[in-house]
Amino acid sequence: GSGSGSGSGRSMSGTTATSASSSSPRPAKDADVPAIELSFKDVKAWVPNYKETQSDGTKAVVTRSILKGVSGTVRSGGLTMLMGASGAGKSTFFDVVAHRTSSGVHHSGSIKVNGREFTLEDFQNNAAYVTQDSFFVGDLTVRETLEFQCSLRLPTSIGADERRARVEDALALLRLVKYSSAKARDLNTANRKKLSIACAVLAKPLLLFCDEPTTSLDATTARSVIASLREVAAKRHVLIFCTIHQPSVHVFRMFDTALVMALGQMAYEGPVAELVPRLAAAGHECPTDTNPADFVIELLSAKYSDTARVEAVQGVIDSLRASSGASDARGDSADEAAEGQRLEGSNRPNPLSLVWHLFRRDLRVATRNEKALQANIGQSIMLGLVLGFLYFQSPRNQAGANDRVGYMFLVSANSMFLSIQSSIMIAVSERAVFLKEVSEGSYNSLEYLVAKALVLIPFQALYTALFAATGYFIVGLQSDFINWLHFALLLFLVSLCGSAFGLMISVATGDVATANALTPAIGIPAMLFSGFVVSVNSIPVWLRWIRYISMVRYSLSGLMINELDGLTFKCLDSERLPSGACPISTGAKLLEDLKATENGKELWPRYVGLCCIYVLALVSAYIVMVYKAQKAKRG
């Protein structure tokens, strides 16, 4: 997926930083396009309270140093790669520069763009980050994906014509025009990577960070992706900074500048073409039949537990530094040359606009998934008919009175479980996209939750109306339209509660199987404390409070009051009590026996109770979303 960085082609006042050396000719820069220089000085990173295994097998709490005063410069106009062996500190350094440090990692040092401190706000306004994984909403086409990303990344001041022009430009730049009508799920891995880059360049960022853009690609497709990045760098003059893990020979040579890390230090900073000759000059000749990247990584690879190897690698680092000169001096002069230049801010789309665009996307995806929509409609009608004929024309006798209560309990529980499961199916499939886009700053958890809750309302209303229309009158419940409307509204609110809890479970778990396994943890207590399965008097006093957060309780009591209040029931002589009265003579008597009217016979407290549970479910979902999003940001 593509990283955040919204802006509208923000510029920087004229700086004249020199472009990095290139292994291939570069087109001349446009006069109005500023040069960008990212400099970093004495960047350190460490993990305090790290539990380290000692030689004798015991654990000791130490401060683990990851980065040891890294300094250097990255310039626009070419491709810069960051490479290093596992444990060299490459990923940590990249995350520090891109303001994406993992939880528990502390860091210090100076990071500047054109001589000014590069803050998180600057990153969000002027940079974009392309992650290894390319997650998109599969039912949207490539063009629709880019159009939606325009809505998220560009300020509202940019008109429709400019947005369309940017989409067309991104499609052409990344050579995705012929795939513009293809759904995102049908793209191969290389084109998904290109789509991620296309999303990132829509806002015309000044800096583009790419985390291992060739991961999971074969040699040919990796070259294709890097070629696309070279074209972006050449035509947009963006500062492009990539991490690369064991590139092929061809990919290695397609980069202009290399930053090579080892032992948490910057071992080399300079042109790719000069890396192997400088190693040779230091006495480390790369065999002609060996990939230079593999040779460099192997030469600088060392485990801290192997003291001899660490000393050898440190010797290579020192010799490379001696041959290339002090990077600190270059960083200082760059800062002085660029001092006074400033990154400009941008106008982020307002929250209501973001909610609207998220709502439109979710609505489009939901209506486009015709099979799921038809299945839910068919399920609502079929269950309405099955339960309707099961309780067909329930008579107003003793058995009919109990059947009415049983029917209303079943429809309440059914609405709850079906809405939880349908919400799970939708939310789990979108979870990765949500976490990616929220971690990038495209929108926040609240905006996503509001849009998702809004888009579920019309569908839950449709399913509930179809269910109520097919089963209600077959059962023979009160035929007054107002009674039917209350019946449908109560079930609708239960469905909304269930869908909100489904969102919470989905975001928390991330897979359908686990989410479905946890569904009973929500549904079973709601049923047990509804007052139907276990009477209130039989529930231990210290557990009775749970009934106040049971959505089935509020729905069931409301349905029973709506149906039973005012009804009378007959009984056979054999069913009469010794006093001659029927066990259930009126609906009011049955309501009293079931303690359905302990808070009165008005329906509004039931509506209020369900609305409160709905809000509680949404708040719970929001808390889980925020936690998961923060965890995703920290890596």
Side-chain angles (χ1 to χ4, degrees):
S2 59
S4 167
S6 49
S8 54
R10 292 162 300 286
S11 65
M12 301 172 61
S13 46
T15 176
T16 57
T18 310
S19 177
S21 299
S22 174
S23 58
S24 62
R26 283 281 174 222
K29 288 189 175 185
D30 299 334
D32 61 341
V33 178
I36 306 300
E37 184 172 82
L38 171 67
S39 61
F40 33 90
K41 183 177 180 181
D42 198 27
V43 176
K44 298 177 181 178
W46 64 94
V47 178
N49 303 320
Y50 180 76
K51 293 183 179 179
E52 186 175 71
T53 304
Q54 304 298 302
S55 57
D56 58 359
T58 60
K59 295 281 187 178
V61 178
V62 299
T63 296
R64 181 188 179 192
S65 178
I66 303 175
L67 301 178
K68 304 169 183 177
V70 178
S71 299
T73 305
V74 179
R75 299 179 177 90
S76 60
L79 290 187
T80 300
M81 67 174 166
L82 177 67
M83 58 185 291
S86 177
K90 172 187 65 177
S91 298
T92 300
F93 171 69
F94 195 70
D95 288 342
V96 168
V97 175
H99 294 280
R100 295 172 67 96
T101 50
S102 303
S103 175
V105 176
H106 297 239
H107 60 88
S108 64
S110 172
I111 301 172
K112 298 181 179 181
V113 170
N114 285 10
R116 295 283 182 166
E117 288 298 327
F118 186 47
T119 64
L120 176 59
E121 183 180 1
D122 290 329
F123 178 87
Q124 292 171 339
N125 289 335
N126 299 278
Y129 190 100
V130 180
T131 60
Q132 294 183 38
D133 301 311
S134 302
F135 294 118
F136 300 102
V137 176
D139 284 318
L140 294 184
T141 65
V142 170
R143 185 182 300 279
E144 288 170 341
T145 299
L146 291 173
E147 290 171 347
F148 174 71
Q149 290 298 321
C150 275
S151 302
L152 296 185
R153 297 168 185 269
L154 303 185
T156 52
S157 58
I158 295 181
D161 291 340
E162 171 65 13
R163 290 168 185 263
R164 281 192 291 270
R166 292 200 183 192
V167 169
E168 296 303 324
D169 180 53
L171 287 171
L173 185 61
L174 276 301
R175 302 186 181 184
L176 291 171
V177 174
K178 65 179 179 179
Y179 304 106
S180 61
S181 298
K183 289 188 176 180
R185 68 156 58 95
D186 297 328
L187 297 178
N188 61 28
T189 305
N191 284 328
R192 289 174 70 87
K193 297 269 189 182
K194 290 182 180 181
L195 181 55
S196 292
I197 299 168
C199 291
V201 302
L202 286 171
K204 297 185 178 179
L206 301 177
L207 303 92
L208 181 60
F209 295 84
C210 298
D211 185 17
E212 299 195 13
T214 59
T215 297
S216 305
L217 301 180
D218 57 35
T220 302
T221 53
R223 290 169 63 185
S224 172
V225 170
I226 299 302
S228 295
L229 284 173
R230 285 183 66 86
E231 194 163 356
V232 172
K235 293 184 177 180
R236 293 286 182 84
H237 312 300
V238 180
L239 185 154
I240 300 182
F241 192 20
C242 307
T243 57
I244 291 291
H245 180 67
Q246 292 185 318
S248 67
V249 175
H250 294 292
V251 168
F252 178 77
R253 290 173 178 168
M254 291 176 77
F255 281 87
D256 304 296
T257 306
L259 301 184
V260 182
M261 295 194 65
L263 302 179
Q265 306 167 58
M266 188 65 69
Y268 175 81
E269 175 202 354
V272 169
E274 296 180 16
L275 175 56
V276 173
R278 288 188 184 179
L279 284 171
H284 305 284
E285 189 78 33
C286 176
T288 56
D289 60 347
T290 300
N291 181 346
D294 292 341
F295 174 75
V296 171
I297 291 173
E298 185 176 352
L299 181 66
L300 295 172
S301 176
K303 292 184 178 180
Y304 285 99
S305 57
D306 189 343
T307 306
R309 180 61 185 163
V310 168
E311 290 178 355
V313 171
Q314 187 62 55
V316 177
I317 295 173
D318 294 339
S319 62
L320 281 173
R321 283 178 170 176
S323 65
S324 61
S327 62
D328 287 357
R330 287 196 299 275
D332 289 340
S333 62
D335 285 351
E336 293 171 4
E339 185 64 41
Q341 312 309 325
R342 184 183 300 274
L343 290 173
E344 297 179 2
S346 68
N347 298 315
R348 181 179 182 268
N350 63 68
L352 288 179
S353 174
L354 290 172
V355 169
W356 168 244
H357 291 302
L358 286 166
F359 173 81
R360 287 182 59 201
R361 179 181 73 172
D362 290 345
L363 187 62
R364 177 179 293 178
V365 171
T367 53
R368 190 167 287 177
N369 193 347
E370 295 180 0
K371 290 184 178 180
L373 187 61
Q374 291 170 358
N376 284 323
I377 290 174
Q379 185 181 58
S380 299
I381 295 173
M382 182 60 66
L383 283 172
L385 292 173
V386 169
L387 290 176
F389 284 111
L390 182 64
Y391 293 93
F392 182 74
Q393 294 298 307
S394 182
R396 295 188 181 182
N397 55 22
Q398 301 300 291
N402 290 317
D403 286 347
R404 278 172 162 77
V405 176
Y407 173 74
M408 286 177 277
F409 173 76
L410 283 176
V411 297
S412 294
N414 171 72
S415 296
M416 174 186 63
F417 276 113
L418 289 184
S419 60
I420 291 176
Q421 291 177 338
S422 64
S423 180
I424 285 172
M425 296 301 294
I426 296 171
V428 167
S429 65
E430 298 178 1
R431 181 179 183 268
V433 176
F434 156 72
L435 292 176
K436 180 201 74 172
E437 293 176 343
V438 170
S439 66
E440 294 166 351
S442 299
Y443 49 81
N444 59 42
S445 299
L446 181 60
E447 291 158 350
Y448 175 83
L449 178 62
V450 171
K452 182 62 67 177
L454 288 175
V455 86
L456 287 172
I457 288 175
F459 292 98
Q460 293 300 337
L462 172 64
Y463 304 147
T464 301
L466 290 173
F467 176 82
T470 51
Y472 185 88
F473 298 104
I474 295 176
V475 176
L477 304 182
Q478 293 196 47
S479 58
D480 186 82
F481 175 74
I482 298 300
N483 290 94
W484 178 87
L485 188 61
H486 282 303
F487 177 86
L489 284 175
L490 287 164
L491 293 184
F492 169 64
L493 286 176
V494 171
S495 297
L496 288 184
C497 293
S499 64
F501 279 118
L503 282 176
M504 179 192 69
I505 296 171
S506 301
V507 176
T509 59
D511 68 273
V512 175
T514 306
N516 283 333
L518 289 177
T519 297
I522 299 291
I524 298 301
M527 295 168 61
L528 291 176
F529 291 90
S530 65
F532 179 80
V533 178
V534 181
S535 67
V536 175
N537 292 333
S538 300
I539 301 174
V541 175
W542 59 278
L543 285 177
R544 290 182 187 178
W545 64 270
I546 298 178
R547 64 198 175 111
Y548 293 110
I549 56 173
S550 166
M551 67 187 95
V552 178
R553 171 180 177 263
Y554 291 105
S555 173
L556 179 58
S557 64
L559 291 174
M560 289 193 297
I561 292 170
N562 181 58
E563 170 61 23
L564 299 176
D565 192 34
L567 292 185
T568 58
F569 297 97
K570 300 176 181 179
C571 64
L572 300 174
D573 291 339
S574 59
E575 295 174 327
R576 293 184 182 274
L577 299 173
S579 63
C582 292
I584 305 174
S585 56
T586 64
K589 176 68 166 55
L590 181 55
L591 290 171
E592 183 180 349
D593 292 343
L594 294 173
K595 295 191 180 299
T597 56
E598 60 179 337
N599 295 320
K601 291 185 178 181
E602 295 82 4
L603 289 177
W604 69 264
R606 280 75 190 174
Y607 286 118
V608 171
L610 286 170
C611 289
C612 289
I613 292 176
Y614 180 51
V615 171
L616 174 65
L618 289 177
V619 170
S620 301
Y622 174 70
I623 292 171
V624 172
M625 286 177 177
V626 169
Y627 171 75
K628 290 294 182 178
Q630 290 178 343
K631 188 175 180 181
K633 287 180 183 179
R634 295 192 300 262

